[in-house]
Amino acid sequence: MKKSRKILIYVMAGIISFLMIPEIILRKVPNDILARLSDFTSLGGLFSPFLSAVIFIGLLSIFVGIIAVYVVGKVYCALTQAKHD
């Protein structure tokens, strides 16, 4: 696969996960847990607690999307090589 196509797949997965995962987290996680997370990520009140939690969740979701594409790619390569052998 061309390098530009691989990069495009990783970017698209990052964007999609950035749009989906934080929304699911903010809807399903109870408010008290989100408050604890925002206190933890704001570095003791140095940053805005809610903004720091949203940034943390967004970056984490992009990272999860990229890792998921990598793992699925490796599994796909292993399965297709097993069929050809």
Side-chain angles (χ1 to χ4, degrees):
M1 189 179 331
K2 292 182 183 178
K3 189 173 183 175
S4 61
R5 186 167 179 193
K6 257 186 177 178
I7 291 173
L8 179 66
I9 290 172
Y10 282 113
V11 168
M12 292 301 291
I15 290 171
I16 290 170
S17 63
F18 179 73
L19 294 174
M20 291 178 63
I21 294 174
E23 181 180 352
I24 294 169
I25 290 172
L26 291 175
R27 288 181 188 261
K28 298 294 181 183
V29 175
N31 290 336
D32 58 334
I33 294 176
L34 283 176
R36 280 192 230 144
L37 177 68
S38 66
D39 288 339
F40 177 72
T41 58
S42 69
L43 299 175
L46 188 61
F47 301 112
S48 170
F50 182 70
L51 179 63
S52 62
V54 169
I55 290 171
F56 175 75
I57 292 170
L59 292 176
L60 185 65
S61 66
I62 291 172
F63 182 69
V64 166
I66 291 172
I67 295 296
V69 169
Y70 178 76
V71 169
V72 168
K74 290 294 182 182
V75 169
Y76 178 73
C77 286
L79 290 175
T80 56
Q81 286 179 356
K83 285 184 177 181
H84 292 287
D85 290 339

